[in-house]
Amino acid sequence: MFTVKDLLDLDIMKSAILIAGENGINNEIKFANIMETPEVAKFMKGGEFLISAGFALQEDDEICRRMINDFADKKISAFGINVGRYLQTIPVAMIEECNSRDLPLIILPKNIPYMDIMLPVWNHTINQRLESSTGHKDFYNALLDVILSEKGFVGISNTLSLLIGNPVFLTDGSYNLLSGSLTSADLQKQYGIKIRDVINRIKNMWNKSGLLHADKIQRLEYATSANSKISVATMPIMVNKSLNGNLFILELNQTISEGDFVALQDAAKIIALEILKQKAGFDIQNRVQAELLEDLLSGYYHDSAVFYRHVQRMNETVSPDGKPIFKADQAMAMAFISLQDLDELNGAQQIKMPYDNKTKIRNVINEYAATYHNGVLLSSRSDCIICLFALKSDGTADDLSGLYDFVKRKAGDKYCYSIGISNVFTDIQEVKNAYECAKIAAHSAEPNSKLQVIFYNKMGVYLLLNEIKNVPAAKAFSDLYLQPLLDYDTENSGELLKTLDAFFANNCNLRKTAESLYVHKNSVIYRINKIEQMTGLDLSNSSDKFNMQLGLYLSKIK
């Protein structure tokens, strides 16, 4: 059992200070994670060592006491705080409550990356799970070597494949392929099998049969393109009754023995911990990226040298694979990715993008930036993702033209992406202006389109309108034509503005407008007549049409 006392005995924690909750020093630590908001307790399972930079903490006695009580009720093992930038001193109320609830409160060592603290905790936890796999020493020793040598998912799948003599593949809880002992191309070439087809078929079979959340290995048959059948052993990887991944074993060379089945169930527990470990690593990267970018946008960095030092520290301490996350010594460009649920486009009630999907898109953007550029800083908001791309030398804004296709290929096209791209710049003091330009470009997208990549320097009339957006006369002009329609839509749950926008986007073609809105042509005719009646304009008249379209353009410059 790994306890708070064991944590404090680690070399990396020698300068840590236990300032409260000493009676809980023997609490078992099962995992380590970062606290982002005071409400994080509701997501905890118990046994966590929580770490915080104090960014979300408030020096309010009532909030501090309630937060500590929530942690104690959830049986959090210990709470570590990095005193310095965001929280200068530990609130007395927090200390008192930690003593009252026997919750160890630790001041973390200064200038120590979170990953250096969290990795030993994860490794101790994984090692204990491995040691519990009694009777399967081959699996134990092999997996222990993989975990301790940081070989990750590729090492796990390759090692399991060698042990059981069959191809092995791992996916995450959303069935995204994490690794395989064979590449997808080699599997198809050698056996005529497409691993993506295998995963999708088994996923559908599990959903239909109710085996999706089973906690043991299942055997299912899969028909190959050569009209032969193979057996696929599948194992859901569960953590606290939540699906975190899947293990797929293609019995191409030999049938898995009963002993191997038992050993694989133990292996699934280890894989679950590795998935959580990797996920936590990416969560740390995402939070640090977002913090740097939001600080840039807020004007925090008056000295670019300070920003570059912080980027260097991020690259050295939180990169999951050791590669630089962001190399900001060349040209840069901002991208504003507007996210919208497609159901909303079809007239249904708008539903915010689930957290997991937005995280998936963020990870894909990170992969895109690492593959084609010199990295990216990302920050997610409720309806958008903001990106600062570090371009390669002599890079241009056009180099980001492949962003949408990459995201669509890797993350799917369930959601509508409207992507605005700023001009290229080299001075970080230009970040805020570049952000506004990218945002304007994204908001100028035509409606009802699954793909809109708009470059600010190619926006035409929007460039001019952006210069006058804050002039009172501009707003008055827009309101003159659009406010009656907006009031009508609000009072009647109507879609006159949406229809008008689609009408212009489709060159005033009634049939194409109806198709883009998924309504009957007669509905469009009725709405256009209603718009003309309410505004007194004739949309077949070029002058009236220009005024109405100009009002719409002005409304999009936010």
Side-chain angles (χ1 to χ4, degrees), residues 340-398:
Q340 188 177 26
D341 190 278
L342 289 180
D343 287 341
E344 193 273 337
L345 296 178
N346 296 337
Q349 183 179 3
Q350 185 170 2
I351 303 172
K352 288 187 178 180
M353 174 175 282
Y355 171 79
D356 284 346
N357 288 317
K358 190 177 291 185
T359 300
K360 181 178 180 180
I361 293 173
R362 284 178 59 105
N363 291 339
V364 168
I365 295 171
N366 271 314
E367 181 184 351
Y368 168 79
T371 304
Y372 298 105
H373 305 288
N374 282 338
V376 66
L377 297 181
L378 298 169
S379 181
S380 297
R381 296 180 181 177
S382 60
D383 58 352
C384 67
I385 297 176
I386 306 163
C387 315
L388 173 60
F389 283 95
L391 305 177
K392 293 185 177 179
S393 58
D394 302 323
T396 67
D398 287 342

Side-chain angles (χ1 to χ4, degrees), residues 67-87:
M67 180 185 70
I68 296 302
N69 274 296
D70 287 343
F71 288 173
D73 290 342
K74 281 285 188 173
K75 301 189 182 303
I76 301 302
S77 299
F79 185 34
I81 300 179
N82 194 342
V83 175
R85 181 175 177 186
Y86 297 115
L87 195 67

Side-chain angles (χ1 to χ4, degrees), residues 260-313:
D260 284 346
F261 266 130
V262 176
L264 284 169
Q265 287 180 319
D266 287 330
K269 299 174 184 176
I270 310 308
I271 297 169
L273 290 171
E274 183 67 16
I275 289 175
L276 290 176
K277 172 182 166 182
Q278 296 267 357
K279 183 178 181 297
F282 280 111
D283 285 346
I284 293 171
Q285 175 186 331
N286 289 338
R287 288 164 184 163
V288 174
Q289 281 182 304
E291 183 179 307
L292 276 173
L293 183 52
E294 292 295 344
D295 281 349
L296 269 178
L297 292 172
S298 69
Y300 175 82
Y301 290 106
H302 300 292
D303 184 351
S304 60
V306 176
F307 168 71
Y308 291 130
R309 283 200 300 270
H310 286 180
V311 167
Q312 182 179 359
R313 185 184 177 194

Side-chain angles (χ1 to χ4, degrees), residues 145-420:
D145 178 66
V146 169
I147 298 302
L148 294 181
S149 58
E150 300 290 329
K151 294 179 181 177
F153 298 127
V154 173
I156 290 174
S157 55
N158 287 339
T159 299
L160 289 178
S161 178
L162 288 172
L163 289 170
I164 61 178
N166 287 302
V168 173
F169 295 87
L170 291 172
T171 74
D172 63 17
S174 300
Y175 297 91
N176 300 304
L177 189 63
L178 296 175
S179 68
S181 57
L182 285 175
T183 66
S184 299
D186 286 343
L187 182 69
Q188 186 171 358
K189 182 178 180 180
Q190 294 179 32
Y191 299 100
I193 298 171
K194 294 181 179 179
I195 187 59
R196 188 71 256 171
D197 287 348
V198 175
I199 293 171
N200 287 338
R201 288 193 191 184
I202 291 177
K203 173 186 174 182
N204 292 334
M205 291 171 69
W206 276 357
N207 283 327
K208 291 178 181 178
S209 65
L211 296 175
L212 182 62
H213 296 296
D215 59 357
K216 58 183 180 180
I217 291 179
Q218 305 288 330
R219 269 198 178 95
L220 301 170
E221 282 193 339
Y222 169 77
T224 70
S225 57
N227 295 322
S228 61
K229 291 184 178 181
I230 63 168
S231 175
V232 180
T234 62
M235 178 73 188
I237 300 168
M238 312 294 290
V239 177
N240 295 317
K241 298 182 180 180
S242 174
L243 184 68
N244 274 255
N246 303 277
L247 181 64
F248 293 87
I249 303 154
L250 279 58
E251 295 182 286
L252 296 171
N253 303 319
Q254 60 189 41
T255 302
I256 301 173
S257 69
E258 291 301 319
D260 284 346
F261 266 130
V262 176
L264 284 169
Q265 287 180 319
D266 287 330
K269 299 174 184 176
I270 310 308
I271 297 169
L273 290 171
E274 183 67 16
I275 289 175
L276 290 176
K277 172 182 166 182
Q278 296 267 357
K279 183 178 181 297
F282 280 111
D283 285 346
I284 293 171
Q285 175 186 331
N286 289 338
R287 288 164 184 163
V288 174
Q289 281 182 304
E291 183 179 307
L292 276 173
L293 183 52
E294 292 295 344
D295 281 349
L296 269 178
L297 292 172
S298 69
Y300 175 82
Y301 290 106
H302 300 292
D303 184 351
S304 60
V306 176
F307 168 71
Y308 291 130
R309 283 200 300 270
H310 286 180
V311 167
Q312 182 179 359
R313 185 184 177 194
M314 173 187 71
N315 289 334
E316 293 172 349
T317 59
V318 303
S319 175
D321 55 9
K323 298 178 181 178
I325 298 169
F326 189 79
K327 294 190 288 187
D329 55 354
Q330 302 289 337
M332 293 174 279
M334 290 290 298
F336 186 99
I337 304 178
S338 182
L339 305 173
Q340 188 177 26
D341 190 278
L342 289 180
D343 287 341
E344 193 273 337
L345 296 178
N346 296 337
Q349 183 179 3
Q350 185 170 2
I351 303 172
K352 288 187 178 180
M353 174 175 282
Y355 171 79
D356 284 346
N357 288 317
K358 190 177 291 185
T359 300
K360 181 178 180 180
I361 293 173
R362 284 178 59 105
N363 291 339
V364 168
I365 295 171
N366 271 314
E367 181 184 351
Y368 168 79
T371 304
Y372 298 105
H373 305 288
N374 282 338
V376 66
L377 297 181
L378 298 169
S379 181
S380 297
R381 296 180 181 177
S382 60
D383 58 352
C384 67
I385 297 176
I386 306 163
C387 315
L388 173 60
F389 283 95
L391 305 177
K392 293 185 177 179
S393 58
D394 302 323
T396 67
D398 287 342
D399 293 340
L400 295 171
S401 59
L403 175 58
Y404 174 82
D405 286 337
F406 191 90
V407 172
K408 178 182 177 182
R409 186 170 70 253
K410 295 280 187 172
D413 59 354
K414 179 181 178 181
Y415 294 93
C416 175
Y417 311 107
S418 172
I419 303 177

